[in-house]
Amino acid sequence: MNLHERRGITPPGSVMLLLALLLIGGGGLMAYRASEKPAQPNMAIGIGLVIVGFIVARGLMTVSPGEAKVIQFLGRYTGTVRHQGLRWANPFATKRTVSIRIRSTEIPVLKVNDADGNPIEVAAVVIWQVADTARALFEVDNFIAFVAAQTETAVRHIAGSYPYDSHGKGLALRDNADEITRRMSEEIAQRVQAAGVYIVESRLTHLAFAPEIAQSMLQRQQANAVVAARYRIVEGAVGMVQLALAKLTEQRIVDLDPQTKAAMVSNLLVVLCGDRGTQPVIQAGTATP
């Protein structure tokens, strides 16, 4: 089955309502007058007009804002009515209401393994809307449950395809939320395409390590942060030492032999890389025996 929504041709309901009232009123009046006189044909015609009027009235339907009417006659899809107000369709056709408002589906907290094999907890919300009413009703059994199931599958797949934290070496669930949610929206859209659903937006609403490893992961993150900070400090200290030696040599403030230069480099690195403040030692002169 490969149905697509098409426009249902329906006349204005006000015109058909007026016609139904005329048929019912005229037929009822004719039948009433025929009951006073032995004119059986007029009686039958009047009753027939009343019946026809009720049949015409049965085809009336109201289309509310944010809704659409899917018309099905003798098991065959005939069209969708999105025009708001009072409309009229085949009285013997089935008319099903489908909401075309924007909806949201929340995926509760799921426990999955990320790309590194670490158990994490993830939850998401997806904003969606029915774009093709024919496919939503006839391509899948229950399009609301279908969207929920496919969204959960996509969230599990995305969460398992990327690490929680990549430490700057690629996409990560924690550090690249915008890119991850964009890819998640694209995957959900592909999965729910069969149901005629348009994905407006999707977002991760919860992301954390599973409780059983949360403490150890926190310690690892803290250790990584310390190592990264130390790396930056050492990198900056080396640059400052190079600059100091270059300035001393350029301005000829003091002539440094290799041994003195090595001692100076060592002292500067200790001062710049140490955790605690250093205590300066002032050398006033050179001791002689």
Side-chain angles (χ1 to χ4, degrees):
M1 186 186 298
N2 191 17
L3 289 176
H4 291 280
E5 179 180 319
R6 58 176 178 267
R7 182 182 176 184
I9 301 175
T10 56
S14 56
V15 176
M16 303 307 294
L17 175 61
L18 179 60
L19 176 61
L21 292 177
L22 290 176
L23 289 172
I24 294 173
L29 181 61
M30 182 179 295
Y32 173 75
R33 290 182 176 179
S35 64
E36 297 178 351
K37 299 179 181 179
Q40 296 301 327
N42 290 339
M43 172 71 74
I45 294 174
I47 294 175
L49 290 177
V50 172
I51 294 174
V52 172
F54 278 109
I55 293 176
V56 172
R58 189 175 180 273
L60 296 171
M61 61 181 181
T62 56
V63 182
S64 303
E67 292 182 350
K69 294 287 186 180
V70 177
I71 303 174
Q72 190 177 359
F73 180 62
L74 298 179
R76 187 173 64 90
Y77 169 67
T78 59
T80 298
V81 181
R82 291 177 177 258
H83 194 283
Q84 301 174 12
L86 185 63
R87 310 296 295 179
W88 186 88
N90 188 335
F92 302 102
T94 303
K95 308 169 188 68
R96 301 172 63 179
T97 302
V98 178
S99 174
I100 55 176
R101 300 182 183 93
I102 295 177
R103 312 185 190 196
S104 64
T105 298
E106 294 186 9
I107 303 302
V109 176
L110 306 172
K111 183 179 290 186
V112 298
N113 291 334
D114 68 355
D116 292 335
N118 300 317
I120 61 173
E121 292 182 345
V122 60
V125 61
V126 58
I127 312 299
W128 58 280
Q129 184 180 24
V130 173
D132 191 317
T133 56
R135 303 193 74 180
L137 285 182
F138 304 120
E139 291 287 344
V140 295
D141 184 49
N142 185 329
F143 65 91
I144 298 177
F146 182 79
V147 170
Q150 295 301 321
T151 300
E152 179 177 341
T153 303
V155 171
R156 288 184 180 274
H157 180 258
I158 290 294
S161 300
Y162 300 95
Y164 181 88
D165 194 346
S166 63
H167 310 291
K169 298 180 180 179
L171 290 179
L173 298 173
R174 184 173 68 91
D175 299 329
N176 306 99
D178 292 338
E179 179 65 18
I180 294 298
T181 52
R182 183 186 66 82
R183 297 190 179 190
M184 183 173 66
S185 297
E186 292 176 353
E187 181 166 345
I188 296 174
Q190 292 177 356
R191 291 177 178 272
V192 300
Q193 185 178 5
V197 171
Y198 167 70
I199 301 299
V200 179
E201 183 186 13
S202 67
R203 287 285 175 183
L204 293 177
T205 58
H206 176 78
L207 180 64
F209 284 113
E212 58 267 24
I213 66 165
Q215 187 62 33
S216 60
M217 288 296 119
L218 178 60
Q219 293 176 353
R220 191 180 75 173
Q221 288 179 349
Q222 291 174 344
N224 290 334
V226 171
V227 171
R230 285 292 181 186
Y231 178 82
R232 295 294 300 273
I233 291 174
V234 172
E235 188 179 35
V238 171
M240 294 173 68
V241 170
Q242 290 176 342
L243 179 61
L245 293 176
K247 287 292 184 181
L248 289 173
T249 303
E250 178 184 349
Q251 298 179 12
R252 297 182 179 180
I253 297 175
V254 62
D255 292 331
L256 300 175
D257 56 38
Q259 184 177 359
T260 306
K261 186 181 294 185
M264 185 177 182
V265 169
S266 176
N267 292 335
L268 286 174
L269 288 177
V270 170
V271 172
L272 294 173
C273 298
D275 286 335
R276 301 176 182 177
T278 57
Q279 189 71 25
V281 177
I282 300 175
Q283 186 173 355
T286 303
T288 57

